Amino acid sequence: MKLSDTNLSVQEREWVEQELFPGEKLLLVCKPATSLWKLGYAYRMFFAALWNAFLFGILGSLIITHTTLEKIIEKPAFLLLFLGLLPFYLIGIGFIISPWWERENDRRTVYALTNRRAIVLRPSMLRRRRTCRSFPLAHDLIKEVREYRHGRGDIIMGHEEHHGRHGIQLIPQGFLFVDHVHELAALIRPHLPDAPAPETEETPDECPTLGCMPVIVLLFAVIYLTTRYKQGTSDSVGIALIFGGIALYSIISWSIKYAAWRKGQAEQKGN
């Protein structure tokens, strides 16, 4: 696939070319869907409304109690209060315009799939630097496919840990908020390597032998128990039973191994 065959802008094509390694082939290129409304925006706007209502409530109450804003500014104490609250006002305004800012970043984000990895190219929030996140190709590259509305969804390829007050939060990473998410995942899967073959238990080539020790222990237990019984004493019957149990356990274990060996031999002959 050539970059000239894509709908990327000249700047985006140069960005992709800079991130590709020598000999790395481009297989697929796509971009996230741009939307002015996402589920996460609702919580953000609700918090922004509370934040700005509190700050502008302080400003409104001061204006009402002191008649005019000019009289408030004339007093140094109130002026210092306004200057101290100014960063918080800017934060509140930032919460309000963040959906538009994030939408613009989505427009400049590029998702690419090569013969080595999946690449997420995204500008930073302040646009001073660009970020490149890579996911090496593996059979389990696609961890989950989430579909939302109108065929849009996320192809999750990993998670990023975010440490907060409520513990560790896993933030999904990958090809997020793309159109026709299931169709795109179906295009990615054929390029992934096959899963490794499951490990099988190796059957021994030689027939397992029982050995003479369990037979000797069992014979000793029988003789010991018989002698004690003829003498009319039963104080050591428990010891004889313990020896007998050890011998029987050895015989049962050998029987299981022998059955597994016979089964393995039968399968080898069948192949």
Side-chain angles (χ1 to χ4, degrees), residues 82-95:
F82 282 132
L83 293 177
L85 292 176
L86 182 60
F88 297 97
Y89 284 107
L90 295 177
I91 292 174
I93 296 174
F95 277 120

Side-chain angles (χ1 to χ4, degrees), residues 1-20 26-32 105-114 119-122:
M1 182 180 184
K2 298 181 180 179
L3 284 173
S4 58
D5 299 332
T6 63
N7 296 326
L8 301 180
S9 63
V10 177
Q11 185 179 4
E12 291 170 344
R13 293 177 188 176
E14 294 177 353
W15 188 8
V16 174
E17 288 179 351
Q18 293 174 0
E19 297 296 339
L20 293 179
L26 192 65
L27 302 177
L28 185 147
V29 174
C30 63
K31 294 174 67 67
N105 283 342
D106 288 340
R107 286 180 176 177
R108 303 175 65 223
T109 298
V110 179
Y111 299 143
L113 181 72
T114 70
I119 308 173
V120 177
L121 303 175
R122 185 172 178 82

Side-chain angles (χ1 to χ4, degrees), residues 31 58 92 98 175 235 250 258 262:
K31 294 174 67 67
I58 295 176
S98 61
F175 292 2
D235 53 342
S250 301
Y258 181 75
R262 289 293 300 272

Side-chain angles (χ1 to χ4, degrees), residues 64-124:
I64 292 173
T65 55
H66 293 78
T67 308
T68 60
L69 184 61
E70 289 76 7
K71 292 183 178 181
I72 296 176
I73 297 177
E74 291 176 358
K75 298 181 180 181
F78 289 122
L79 183 60
L80 293 176
L81 177 62
F82 282 132
L83 293 177
L85 292 176
L86 182 60
F88 297 97
Y89 284 107
L90 295 177
I91 292 174
I93 296 174
F95 277 120
I96 295 176
I97 67 174
S98 61
W100 287 268
W101 190 273
E102 188 170 338
R103 182 188 183 187
E104 185 62 25
N105 283 342
D106 288 340
R107 286 180 176 177
R108 303 175 65 223
T109 298
V110 179
Y111 299 143
L113 181 72
T114 70
N115 59 337
R116 298 183 184 180
R117 55 183 175 150
I119 308 173
V120 177
L121 303 175
R122 185 172 178 82
S124 63

Side-chain angles (χ1 to χ4, degrees), residues 109-204:
T109 298
V110 179
Y111 299 143
L113 181 72
T114 70
N115 59 337
R116 298 183 184 180
R117 55 183 175 150
I119 308 173
V120 177
L121 303 175
R122 185 172 178 82
S124 63
M125 290 298 295
L126 298 178
R127 300 180 184 176
R128 293 184 177 179
R129 61 183 180 86
R130 298 173 296 187
T131 60
C132 175
R133 186 178 181 89
S134 300
F135 302 90
L137 294 189
H139 70 279
D140 58 346
L141 173 65
I142 299 178
K143 304 296 189 297
E144 185 183 355
V145 178
R146 297 179 182 175
E147 184 177 1
Y148 302 121
R149 297 178 60 186
H150 308 296
R152 294 176 176 177
D154 301 335
I155 301 177
I156 299 175
M157 302 177 180
H159 293 84
E160 181 179 350
E161 293 185 357
H162 178 72
H163 298 269
R165 295 181 179 180
H166 302 288
I168 299 176
Q169 181 182 5
L170 298 179
I171 302 176
Q173 301 292 327
F175 292 2
L176 306 180
F177 205 65
V178 293
D179 287 322
H180 311 292
V181 60
H182 288 290
E183 289 80 353
L184 182 59
L187 293 176
I188 295 175
R189 287 192 175 96
H191 300 291
L192 303 182
D194 297 331
E199 298 182 358
T200 56
E201 296 182 357
E202 298 181 357
T203 56

